[in-house]
């Protein structure tokens, strides 16, 4: 979870800085890796909780 959060913050920072330097934020490309990775984290967490209950 910490790795995902850290990587997400880095990607958002890169998008923000490059947008400010070039004069426009443009398409928020970070949404795709952040959301897919986040969804996989949630599925992993849910699977772990399911195994604990069994």
């Amino acid at each position: 979870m910490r790795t995902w959060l850290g990587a997400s913050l880095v990607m958002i920072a890169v998008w923000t800085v490059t947008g400010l330097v070039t004069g426009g934020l443009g398409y928020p490309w970070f949404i795709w890796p952040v959301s897919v990775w986040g969804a996989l984290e949630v599925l992993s967490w849910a699977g772990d909780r399911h195994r604990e209950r069994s």
Side-chain angles (χ1 to χ4, degrees):
M1 176 75 164
R2 284 188 207 169
T3 305
W4 171 81
L5 181 59
S8 298
L9 291 174
V10 168
M11 287 185 267
I12 293 168
V14 167
W15 174 74
T16 303
V17 169
T18 56
L20 293 174
V21 168
T22 61
L25 290 176
Y27 182 75
W29 54 266
F30 64 86
I31 290 173
W32 296 105
V34 168
S35 61
V36 171
W37 190 356
L40 292 172
E41 288 285 337
V42 168
L43 289 173
S44 175
W45 173 79
D48 290 345
R49 288 197 38 109
H50 178 71
R51 276 186 231 98
E52 288 175 4
R53 291 185 182 187
S54 298

